[in-house]
Amino acid sequence: MKHVLPLLALLAMLLGAFDAGAATARIKDLTSLQGVRGNELFGYGLVVGLAGSGDTERVFFTSQSVSSMLGRLGIRIDPADVRSRNVAAVMVTARLPPFARPGTRIDVTVSSIGNARSLAGGVLLVTPLTGPDGQTYGLAQGPVQVGGYEASAAGSSLRKNHPTAGRVPSGGTVERAVVHDLADGPLVFQLADPDFATASRIAGAIGGVVGPEAARALDPAAVEVVVPDARRGDLVALVAELEALEVVADERARVAISERTGTVVAGRNVRIRPVVISHGGLRVSIGSTPVISQPAPFSDGGRTVRDRMAAIEAEELGIGVQALPAASNVDELVQALGLLGVGPRDLIAILQAMKAAGALDAEIEVL
């Protein structure tokens, strides 16, 4: 109980502060504009300059890539003759941000696809970055930063994190822009968490700026805004004004549970009904006592034997029968759960049983 009460008290304090002054949120934090999104890019490249930790000759496509690259530089070499361990074949991935213009620098991620042991100290050669449509949208090149290492000697090895994947900060350059035409049709704000009440409130807040007939909730996940003719010439300012509006975001009552770590997080709308709970557990203790067995006096061929004797004790633990009152807010919920006097892992089992009995008005999400 001494561990669960401070956690519940902290939860009550945080959620109480949320109820008091942070009940509203900006539309910018709740939604995104339809059609304005990033795009995934990828490419195949080579990382060179590795200290003998690159792909072996068994990775034939690396040898072919090295031979092809040298061929474009006027050096003819058979792929079978490539024996370098300082090169690794990698896949390069990046995310093209919305409204990125040519010349914008972006970060790229490099991942080995051969049997290289580490990419530490390597340099990524120029790699075209293409989109799903096959068009080239960027180029990547630069030194690879790896957040791990691997060392081996005399059959022993030491490894930390993943040395076969790394990043090239600002290693990509945008060569082609993806055009987002906001003036083509109405603006549609997409909710990150679809909800009928939140969508209705967003439509009402936007209608107060552009007119009640210009904003309507299409469904719980989208709010459509017809741009007035007077504001169509400056959509950037209009979107900035609308995204700065604040609304009260509704949410479902939810309890998140992580059985791996024993973590329980309850939302502000969680309610419990009057319920009677009986919860118990079993504690098993196993002790070991050394035992010496000696032969009888004057016996022939006997020897002293050392053994151990196990002592097993079982104790049934429980809180008896506890009646919990109804709780209609977070403070009452914390006080009610604190009456149980159990640890976080037992609290998980109790909450799941309360939900099954219909005494918990919340959705349980197991992480």
Side-chain angles (χ1 to χ4, degrees), residues 26-355:
R26 297 182 304 172
I27 293 180
K28 182 176 184 178
D29 301 323
L30 300 174
T31 66
S32 61
L33 273 178
Q34 180 175 296
V36 179
R37 61 179 180 85
N39 292 274
E40 306 302 327
L41 306 178
F42 68 99
Y44 171 82
L46 294 175
V47 172
V48 299
L50 304 176
S53 60
D55 296 334
T56 65
E57 60 274 7
R58 290 182 296 178
V59 185
F60 192 65
F61 55 80
T62 302
S63 302
Q64 288 181 320
S65 301
V66 173
S67 175
S68 177
M69 177 193 65
L70 294 178
R72 291 194 298 269
L73 298 177
I75 302 174
R76 304 298 178 185
I77 182 173
D78 191 281
D81 296 332
V82 177
R83 295 288 187 271
S84 177
R85 287 295 307 274
N86 297 339
V87 184
V90 295
M91 290 301 298
V92 184
T93 57
R95 184 174 179 82
L96 181 66
F99 301 107
R101 301 290 181 175
T104 302
R105 307 291 296 186
I106 57 177
D107 297 339
V108 299
T109 301
V110 178
S111 306
S112 172
I113 58 175
N115 58 3
R117 298 196 311 271
S118 175
L119 300 180
V123 177
L124 174 68
L125 297 182
V126 177
T127 303
L129 300 177
T130 62
D133 57 358
Q135 299 292 327
T136 299
Y137 290 90
L139 297 175
Q141 180 174 273
V144 180
Q145 295 185 1
V146 178
Y149 61 83
E150 181 186 33
S152 60
S156 300
S157 62
L158 178 64
R159 179 174 179 175
K160 180 179 180 181
N161 296 337
H162 299 280
T164 55
R167 292 176 61 84
V168 183
S170 301
T173 304
V174 177
E175 299 293 334
R176 182 196 299 265
V178 177
V179 179
H180 302 277
D181 191 3
L182 297 179
D184 186 15
L187 301 176
V188 178
F189 289 87
Q190 298 176 326
L191 278 71
D193 296 318
D195 184 85
F196 284 98
T198 304
S200 178
R201 292 168 187 171
I202 291 177
I206 295 177
V209 175
V210 298
E213 302 297 330
R216 66 187 183 99
L218 300 178
D219 51 50
V223 176
E224 182 184 72
V225 179
V226 178
V227 180
D229 294 336
R231 305 295 300 271
R232 191 168 294 276
D234 193 5
L235 288 180
V236 174
L238 175 61
V239 172
E241 182 180 356
L242 298 181
E243 288 185 334
L245 298 176
E246 294 192 358
V247 298
V248 178
D250 205 353
E251 60 184 14
R252 290 183 177 274
R254 183 175 299 147
V255 177
I257 293 175
S258 175
E259 297 196 37
R260 298 188 303 271
T261 61
T263 302
V264 179
V265 178
R268 60 190 294 265
N269 293 325
V270 175
R271 305 288 188 269
I272 62 174
R273 303 175 186 272
V275 64
V276 176
I277 296 176
S278 176
H279 179 76
L282 186 68
R283 181 172 63 190
V284 179
S285 302
I286 301 178
S288 180
T289 304
V291 177
I292 305 297
S293 177
Q294 294 182 331
F298 307 108
S299 62
D300 187 16
R303 61 189 181 91
T304 301
V305 178
R306 182 178 180 180
D307 199 359
R308 304 188 72 87
M309 178 179 295
I312 302 178
E313 297 180 358
E315 179 184 1
E316 186 173 357
L317 306 175
I319 60 174
V321 178
Q322 181 71 52
L324 296 186
S328 59
N329 55 54
V330 174
D331 292 336
E332 295 177 359
L333 173 64
V334 171
Q335 293 174 7
L337 295 179
L339 294 176
L340 300 178
V342 297
R345 294 191 180 276
D346 291 328
L347 187 59
I348 290 175
I350 292 175
L351 289 174
Q352 290 175 329
M354 291 173 61
K355 177 63 175 178

